[in-house]
Amino acid sequence: MGTEQSSIMKAFNLKDRDQLHAEIARMFYSAGLPFNLARNPYFASSYTFAANHNIAGYLPPGYNMLRTTLLRRERANIDRLLQPIRGTWREKGVSIVSDGWSDSQRRPLINFMAVNESGPMFLKAVDCSGETKDKYFIANLMKEVINEVGPQNVVQVITDNAPNCKAAGQLIEAQFPYILWTPCVVHTLNLALKNICAARNIERNEVTYLECSWISDVAGDVMMIRNFITNHFMRLAMYNEFVTLKLLSVAETRFASTIFMLKRIKLIKRGLQAMVISDKWSCYKEDDIGKARFVKEKVLDDVWWDSIDYILSFTGSIYDMVRACDTDKPCLHLIYDMWDSIIEKVKMAI
């Protein structure tokens, strides 16, 4: 029996397979690689290729080769794969989409993409460190990209509604009369939600502030409840006993996420109420007893919940349009239909 088992192990190279598994696992563990890397098709195909081809004395590429020769070769390969998309630009036209962001090193970047019905294609990202991002600087970057793509292929440039981007778009329209500047629909709607959910108390916004400042108060209450629960392990443990859904954090610059947060807290209303009337909550003896009392009062206040329902009723159509437009697929034809009805829906809800 032992000889037979040894023959099977030898035939299937089980010992070598186990050793290779161990080597691969150590690579993951020692470098802190995410386990999702094992689902990458190129991870599996690289080992399959090595197993099926007897490459004597092969060593994997080193640090310098990966960051130089192989990187340039792969970039050329990607350019070749993207050529069919480029080939549709002359026939179908293309939109240049630009947006600003910061990378992990906090460098201010402006990225550019070319988009048409064949799919989006990343063009480049420009490091703007030390630069003044005025209309002339942004317009010059746009001109470079337009010339790279081919002015005859460009239908429009799309940016957010920041004053410098709008002014840059006007400069582009002046130089290229057949190219339009189009404001980003999602950013436009986000600004509308900003003026509703976080109205500023300034002179030219006085009427809106008087009408909508209570919404900021309700959103602040929800954020306070979320932070109070999640910032302490004991309170979070109590929450997890009564509610299965997680409390969501909110991006400060994305006001649609405020609406999403209100939607989430409405979903977990019953669980929150069960939590604050439980014996565990009543016996809570931490140093934030005042805040715990505030949370309980709000969660059990029917008028407060009615306010949340009212906010969701008249912002729902705006939120739905943000969700519909936040996609890579062409949706301009849908926007016009939705835009005609969105105002009426808000008025009816109010």
Side-chain angles (χ1 to χ4, degrees), residues 88-280:
T88 65
W89 290 353
R90 181 178 292 276
E91 177 185 354
K92 300 178 180 179
V94 67
S95 299
I96 303 298
V97 182
S98 176
D99 193 17
W101 60 292
S102 298
D103 66 3
S104 58
Q105 300 178 25
R106 306 301 300 168
R107 291 177 298 186
L109 304 176
I110 297 179
N111 58 20
F112 293 91
M113 298 183 68
V115 181
N116 71 358
E117 65 179 33
S118 297
M121 176 176 162
F122 175 79
L123 297 175
K124 66 178 180 179
V126 180
D127 185 356
C128 303
S129 301
E131 300 286 352
T132 300
K133 290 186 283 187
D134 58 13
K135 61 181 181 180
Y136 300 107
F137 177 76
I138 296 174
N140 287 332
L141 293 179
M142 289 181 180
K143 290 176 193 175
E144 292 178 8
V145 174
I146 289 172
N147 289 326
E148 290 173 9
V149 172
Q152 72 279 3
N153 299 327
V154 180
V155 177
Q156 62 179 343
V157 292
I158 302 174
T159 69
D160 62 30
N161 285 332
N164 56 343
C165 293
K166 182 178 180 180
Q170 292 171 345
L171 292 176
I172 293 297
E173 288 182 333
Q175 183 165 349
F176 303 95
Y178 47 86
I179 296 178
L180 302 175
W181 171 76
T182 305
C184 173
V185 175
V186 174
H187 187 254
T188 302
L189 295 172
N190 195 56
L191 291 177
L193 288 174
K194 176 182 179 181
N195 211 30
I196 295 172
C197 300
R200 297 172 62 192
N201 187 15
I202 56 178
E203 185 175 352
R204 60 190 176 93
N205 201 46
E206 184 177 353
V207 175
T208 303
Y209 179 77
L210 291 175
E211 293 291 335
C212 299
S213 59
W214 65 274
I215 299 176
S216 300
D217 295 336
V218 173
D221 291 340
V222 174
M223 183 62 74
M224 181 268 169
I225 291 171
R226 177 202 171 275
N227 292 339
F228 181 75
I229 292 173
T230 58
N231 286 349
H232 193 280
F233 72 93
M234 193 71 177
R235 298 189 287 263
L236 186 58
M238 274 191 277
Y239 170 84
N240 290 331
E241 286 186 24
F242 292 91
V243 183
T244 56
L245 295 174
K246 291 183 179 180
L247 283 167
L248 302 175
S249 59
V250 176
E252 294 182 3
T253 58
R254 296 291 181 266
F255 292 92
S257 59
T258 300
I259 305 302
F260 192 61
M261 180 180 67
L262 295 178
K263 285 177 173 286
R264 173 55 59 90
I265 201 165
K266 182 181 177 181
L267 281 176
I268 61 176
K269 174 183 176 180
R270 299 303 179 193
L272 288 175
Q273 290 179 332
M275 179 184 70
V276 298
I277 63 175
S278 66
D279 293 337
K280 286 188 175 182

